[in-house]
Amino acid sequence: MAISPRKLRNDVYSYSYQNQSNTPLVISVLASLIQRSLVRNERIGRFMSRRSRYTRIFDSHETPDMTIQSYLERIFKYTKAGPSVYVVAYVYIDRFCRSQPEFRINGRNVHRLLITTIMVASKYVEDMNYRNSYFARVGGITTKEMNSLELGFLFLMNFKMHVNLSVFESYCCHLEREVSIGGGYHIEKTLRCAEEIKSRQTDQDRFTRITL
């Protein structure tokens, strides 16, 4: 499977739902980055004793069994959020982790962090959006939880949600480097796993419910 930085940038700037049937490459790149961060954090997690009670709102009661790739593809499928939304969500995740040094992405919080940042990014980027209740259904949580996650995230970020063009471009470049240098093998592996999962699914068109 050939992947290239150029394809990622083409997806971000010119992806068309009418002309494309494949998932944008940015989703697989983001899934690969987040997965590696998760694995690294869980290796060192036992040495961490301090955690803010404010960031615990992202913790699920149990670790969801849905992969990051599958979860991102589900969000993309049902919300039709454009590829640029996922770049902005990546900016938010990076800012959040930097501003909350005690927070570490792990198996219990990654899904709720993703649905929250993607919803907030969609509101920032897109002209039209679904309601919080719809994002909640897609993400596998209640509307009350979705509202609480959004509000908590905004306050923890001090409502600093603006992403200018130069910042957006710098994160696009980082994602491109991930394709060309750092994570090509991991991304191809992620894509192959995603294709295997798709081949086992028999009811793609029906809205399936999940619970986190």
Side-chain angles (χ1 to χ4, degrees):
M1 181 182 298
I3 56 177
S4 69
R6 180 175 296 180
K7 183 181 186 311
L8 186 145
R9 187 167 289 268
N10 287 341
D11 282 351
V12 169
Y13 286 101
S14 60
Y15 187 89
S16 171
Y17 295 102
Q18 288 73 29
N19 301 328
Q20 299 282 350
S21 59
N22 296 325
T23 303
L25 179 58
V26 64
I27 289 178
S28 296
V29 179
L30 182 59
S32 176
L33 280 168
I34 298 295
Q35 179 63 37
R36 294 214 309 278
S37 177
L38 184 153
V39 171
R40 181 175 63 252
N41 290 337
E42 291 190 338
R43 284 175 181 169
I44 65 175
R46 63 182 182 275
F47 300 110
M48 295 182 59
S49 58
R50 294 177 62 249
R51 286 190 62 202
S52 169
R53 64 186 179 89
Y54 299 108
T55 60
R56 290 178 184 173
I57 60 172
F58 294 100
D59 288 349
S60 300
H61 297 298
E62 298 180 358
T63 302
D65 59 1
M66 179 174 282
T67 66
I68 296 173
Q69 174 77 20
S70 296
Y71 193 63
L72 288 174
E73 288 190 348
R74 174 184 171 84
I75 296 172
F76 174 77
K77 175 182 177 180
Y78 290 119
T79 68
K80 293 296 188 290
S84 58
V85 169
Y86 295 87
V87 178
V88 173
Y90 177 43
V91 176
Y92 290 164
I93 291 171
D94 189 44
R95 285 181 182 175
F96 182 74
C97 291
R98 290 174 185 271
S99 67
Q100 307 294 325
E102 79 289 343
F103 179 81
R104 294 292 185 275
I105 296 174
N106 59 44
R108 289 183 60 195
N109 61 34
V110 63
H111 296 80
R112 293 182 180 224
L113 180 64
L114 285 170
I115 190 63
T116 303
T117 53
I118 291 170
M119 185 182 75
V120 174
S122 180
K123 291 181 179 182
Y124 180 80
V125 174
E126 306 279 23
D127 293 327
M128 299 181 65
N129 284 282
Y130 289 106
R131 295 181 177 181
N132 285 22
S133 57
Y134 184 78
F135 272 96
R137 287 180 62 201
V138 172
I141 57 179
T142 66
T143 302
K144 182 178 179 180
E145 287 173 320
M146 187 78 264
N147 293 339
S148 177
L149 287 169
E150 179 186 30
L151 190 61
F153 179 75
L154 291 173
F155 272 102
L156 287 167
M157 292 281 285
N158 292 317
F159 290 84
K160 295 179 180 178
M161 314 312 297
H162 179 62
V163 178
N164 61 37
L165 183 59
S166 63
V167 170
F168 183 85
E169 278 289 323
S170 69
Y171 278 83
C172 282
C173 289
H174 180 76
L175 292 169
E176 287 177 325
R177 287 195 298 272
E178 176 70 10
V179 175
S180 61
I181 302 174
Y185 167 75
H186 299 281
I187 296 165
E188 288 194 24
K189 183 178 179 182
T190 300
L191 288 169
R192 287 197 300 271
C193 291
E195 290 301 319
E196 290 174 4
I197 292 171
K198 284 182 179 179
S199 68
R200 294 195 297 267
Q201 293 177 338
T202 58
D203 194 10
Q204 288 288 315
D205 295 328
R206 187 168 62 87
F207 188 102
T208 53
R209 291 182 178 275
I210 61 171
T211 302
L212 297 185

